[in-house]
Amino acid sequence: MSLPLSSNKDHWLECYKLTWDNRVCDRHVRFREWIEKEFEPQLVKTLSAGLGATGKPLCVLGIGSAEGNHEMLQLKKLKTKFAKLSTTVIEPNKQMFLQYQETVRQKSSDFTGIEFEWHNQTFQDYVQLYGVRKKYHFISMVHSIYYVGDSDLEETIRELYDILAPGGVILMVVMTDHTGIGKVVHTFPNLATKEQKSASSDPSMTKSNRLINSTDVTSILDKYKIVYTQSEYRESWDITACFTGVDTTKGNLLLDIHTQTINFKASVSTTVYSQVMDFLKDHMSVRKSHQSDEELCYFDTVSDILLITK
Ligand SMILES: C[S@@+](CC[C@H](N)C(=O)[O-])C[C@H]1O[C@@H](n2cnc3c(N)ncnc32)[C@H](O)[C@@H]1O
């Protein structure tokens, strides 16, 4: 029996931690580079042009903020232009939520002028409780739309647009369907079956291993004539451990991430397993590691960075 990765919070978290291991995946390095280079010219400038000098705090909303690592960098950039920020954090995972709060507490001097409002809940629960009355100037959604928009993406995008203040910007980072993880899931959409999805134990997470991709999002934005810009960044995963012929935790977790399926190797038929491994082989590239002269198997995923304006 195969279950979607996000139906088990603990297993998902174990996989997610691999994204923070620079030797395995450079997602965060690449995205931080984008923040360092592009956040000010592309976002801070647009926001200050759109909002002018009102003297009121800039209202920021983080959705699926995790431990806040990317959001804190973004807040730092916003602080250079806006003297006061009012930040709302929505993160349903308790462990990550507490970690974000703890970092803010420990580095309080970095956050002077920033007020935090904390919500340890899903975006869906937040909207149900508070509605869409409060408006935000900046909404940050980095790789969280998969979970937030899972049951009804169109409705979610309409809600997000509703809570965006005029002159505001939504930063949405979402994988494409034509590369890497997005392409595997797009090519093999039925790795976890419908019946098995209903066995999911965690209601805060998506029930599907069919990840939302950037085309899903942009087609809805186009339908509603919502204005956005699109750029991209590329992350590389070292998936060599999947091809050593030896079963390792790392190799198995990498397969689970790339198929969005829990215990992929043990839970699918040998035919499906071979098909997916052949697909990975056909689409990976063997190249030298940055850290050593070793030749490694890299599988690249491109994500779109959407800046949605109102
Ligand atoms: C891939 S992580 C992205 C983390 C972070 N935004 C970053 O920049 O690295 C996805 C996050 O979305 C959160 N999440 C899952 N379901 C959610 C929901 N329904 N509403 C809000 N956040 C959700 C997860 O707990 C997780 O922290």
Side-chain angles (χ1 to χ4, degrees):
M1 155 149 148
S2 56
L3 289 168
L5 180 57
S6 53
S7 63
N8 182 312
K9 200 159 36 182
D10 295 334
H11 197 80
W12 179 87
L13 205 56
E14 217 183 322
C15 289
Y16 173 73
K17 281 182 187 153
L18 270 185
T19 67
W20 286 100
D21 182 342
N22 292 342
R23 290 159 309 174
V24 176
C25 168
D26 62 358
R27 168 180 294 187
H28 304 290
V29 177
R30 298 280 93 85
F31 188 57
R32 274 186 202 164
E33 280 169 7
W34 183 86
I35 297 178
E36 281 309 326
K37 245 176 90 186
E38 304 295 343
F39 195 84
E40 209 276 322
Q42 291 202 33
L43 242 139
V44 180
K45 273 203 180 127
T46 310
L47 278 173
S48 41
L51 302 171
T54 61
K56 289 191 183 149
L58 185 84
C59 293
V60 177
L61 175 65
I63 304 177
S65 313
E67 311 89 336
N69 293 330
H70 292 142
E71 257 169 52
M72 288 185 280
L73 292 179
Q74 295 164 26
L75 292 174
K76 221 167 144 186
K77 298 275 173 204
L78 290 169
K79 250 187 75 175
T80 60
K81 194 79 191 173
F82 300 93
K84 284 187 193 155
L85 302 179
S86 163
T87 298
T88 302
V89 174
I90 298 176
E91 172 50 57
N93 182 289
K94 187 99 187 175
Q95 202 179 324
M96 292 169 151
F97 178 80
L98 293 176
Q99 179 61 55
Y100 193 171
Q101 284 187 319
E102 181 58 17
T103 309
V104 169
R105 198 185 59 76
Q106 279 179 8
K107 299 187 177 165
S108 56
S109 57
D110 288 358
F111 299 103
T112 42
I114 307 183
E115 241 174 51
F116 282 91
E117 184 183 311
W118 300 96
H119 294 272
N120 181 207
Q121 61 190 161
T122 64
F123 177 67
Q124 294 88 326
D125 287 347
Y126 173 86
V127 170
Q128 211 167 17
L129 260 173
Y130 302 99
V132 289
R133 287 180 308 279
K134 183 161 180 197
K135 308 287 178 198
Y136 297 91
H137 303 113
F138 173 56
I139 301 174
S140 179
M141 285 193 87
V142 179
H143 289 302
S144 57
I145 189 65
Y146 321 112
Y147 317 106
V148 177
D150 185 46
S151 58
D152 188 341
L153 181 61
E154 189 160 329
E155 176 68 14
T156 304
I157 289 178
R158 287 167 61 115
E159 282 166 355
L160 288 167
Y161 198 66
D162 274 347
I163 58 173
L164 186 67
V169 182
I170 300 171
L171 163 65
M172 190 184 290
V173 180
V174 53
M175 283 186 238
T176 60
D177 59 355
H178 56 271
T179 57
I181 298 170
K183 187 165 174 141
V184 178
V185 175
H186 195 68
T187 311
F188 301 95
N190 299 315
L191 294 175
T193 67
K194 214 173 170 44
E195 299 74 55
Q196 287 158 2
K197 279 175 210 162
S198 64
S200 158
S201 55
D202 181 0
S204 79
M205 302 287 274
T206 176
K207 309 298 178 296
S208 166
N209 73 335
R210 190 217 166 272
L211 282 184
I212 285 168
N213 59 62
S214 62
T215 309
D216 296 328
V217 175
T218 53
S219 56
I220 295 169
L221 297 175
D222 291 338
K223 177 177 167 186
Y224 288 99
K225 299 191 169 36
I226 295 174
V227 177
Y228 63 92
T229 62
Q230 194 167 3
S231 55
E232 59 180 41
Y233 80 98
R234 178 178 292 269
E235 72 194 31
S236 296
W237 287 80
D238 169 8
I239 59 165
T240 315
C242 305
F243 294 98
T244 55
V246 184
D247 249 355
T248 58
T249 306
K250 183 174 160 188
N252 287 333
L253 288 178
L254 281 167
L255 279 181
D256 292 1
I257 293 169
H258 284 79
T259 58
Q260 293 290 302
T261 302
I262 298 173
N263 298 329
F264 169 74
K265 188 174 180 184
S267 66
V268 296
S269 67
T270 48
T271 313
V272 171
Y273 175 73
S274 303
Q275 282 172 352
V276 171
M277 294 306 278
D278 286 346
F279 182 91
L280 291 175
K281 262 188 213 152
D282 288 347
H283 292 83
M284 69 189 191
S285 67
V286 178
R287 50 183 198 257
K288 275 198 177 144
S289 137
H290 293 303
Q291 280 111 0
S292 69
D293 261 359
E294 220 181 336
E295 297 251 297
L296 300 172
C297 307
Y298 285 104
F299 193 65
D300 291 358
T301 292
V302 172
S303 291
D304 270 334
I305 299 171
L306 304 175
L307 297 182
I308 302 162
T309 49
K310 194 173 192 176

